Amino acid sequence: MFCPFCGVGFSLFTPFCASCGRSLELLRDQAEGSDSPGTSKQTENPEQKQTCPSYKQFMEYRKSKSKERQAFSCGVKLKLKQQSKPVKINIGIMVSQQTDLKPLRGKTLPLFISPEITAPDLLKQAVEKMRTFHRDLEEGPYVLLYPDCTEVINVPGTERPFRLADYKEEIGKNYNRISLFICPESHFKQEDGTSDSDPEIVITSRSTAEFNQADTLTCSRTFIYHTAISDCNI
């Protein structure tokens, strides 16, 4: 005799299964019929037979459920593996040339990073990669820029902090076609108009400018007058 729920076999009938703890009352008639000697075999009730699955049916059911669990577990693991797998992007250097920021030719390198990386970590790894292959790289600090020379802070068009996977979805490109740039902070501030070395600009009103001009003209006339008098005395 077997438990129809967990498949554990037992020789004597018990009200509950010792393995799964479920009620075995539906097997009582079967147990009483087998225990009473000399009694004729009772006709089986079709409805009762349907409610009492066989051991073979139970094993098939358990096998199908095991396959479902394995498929779900493998799908989750595959998704996590794809998310953690490093991807390749391109990193370049952008510097100030005349009046604009422009990328330097021959300074682009591939960089293998996680799709979940954020802007500060990406900047750090990009600078380390550039210093490894370009010994003439000037001292920092550096900022991370998009190809349009804007600083990498949020995903373009959103208020979400930068994440490489989100940026890839927004622009619709493969990872190996994504290019970002590092730029010396001094160059970026100079082009952005926030450099500390900018000359001081003094703005005066129109009346003040006219007064200064008139004062200069008066001083010039006085100087010419005194020069003429000195020449006459000589």
Side-chain angles (χ1 to χ4, degrees), residues 39-55:
T39 58
S40 60
K41 187 177 181 180
Q42 299 180 357
T43 58
E44 295 181 352
N45 187 357
E47 296 181 356
Q48 184 179 1
K49 186 176 181 181
Q50 291 179 359
T51 58
C52 181
S54 64
Y55 176 73

Side-chain angles (χ1 to χ4, degrees), residues 78-87 114-116 163:
L78 179 61
K79 185 177 180 181
L80 293 176
K81 185 177 180 180
Q82 290 177 349
Q83 290 179 352
S84 60
K85 183 179 179 181
V87 296
S114 169
E116 305 298 319
R163 192 173 67 101

Side-chain angles (χ1 to χ4, degrees), residues 113-173:
I113 52 177
S114 169
E116 305 298 319
I117 196 168
T118 58
D121 295 334
L122 177 53
L123 174 61
K124 181 179 178 181
Q125 294 189 27
V127 173
E128 290 178 356
K129 183 68 175 284
M130 285 296 179
R131 289 192 187 282
T132 302
F133 290 90
H134 300 294
R135 297 293 183 179
D136 58 343
L137 191 69
E138 64 179 88
E139 295 296 329
Y142 285 84
V143 294
L144 188 65
L145 301 182
Y146 289 115
D148 62 352
C149 302
T150 57
E151 187 175 2
V152 176
I153 299 176
N154 296 330
V155 177
T158 69
E159 296 297 329
R160 292 174 296 169
F162 176 86
R163 192 173 67 101
L164 183 60
D166 295 338
Y167 177 61
K168 184 250 185 187
E169 292 179 2
E170 289 293 332
I171 62 176
K173 292 183 179 180

Side-chain angles (χ1 to χ4, degrees), residues 152-206:
V152 176
I153 299 176
N154 296 330
V155 177
T158 69
E159 296 297 329
R160 292 174 296 169
F162 176 86
R163 192 173 67 101
L164 183 60
D166 295 338
Y167 177 61
K168 184 250 185 187
E169 292 179 2
E170 289 293 332
I171 62 176
K173 292 183 179 180
N174 295 329
Y175 285 108
N176 59 0
R177 294 178 59 85
I178 294 177
S179 297
L180 297 174
F181 300 87
I182 63 172
C183 175
E185 188 176 11
S186 58
H187 292 211
F188 177 72
K189 287 186 176 182
Q190 180 179 356
E191 296 299 327
D192 195 35
T194 58
S195 176
D196 296 335
S197 61
D198 289 343
E200 183 180 0
I201 300 176
V202 179
I203 301 176
T204 59
S205 63
R206 181 178 178 182

Side-chain angles (χ1 to χ4, degrees), residues 205-223:
S205 63
R206 181 178 178 182
S207 58
T208 303
E210 291 177 351
F211 174 79
N212 292 337
Q213 184 178 4
D215 185 55
T216 303
L217 183 59
T218 303
C219 292
S220 300
R221 289 178 177 177
T222 303
F223 175 76

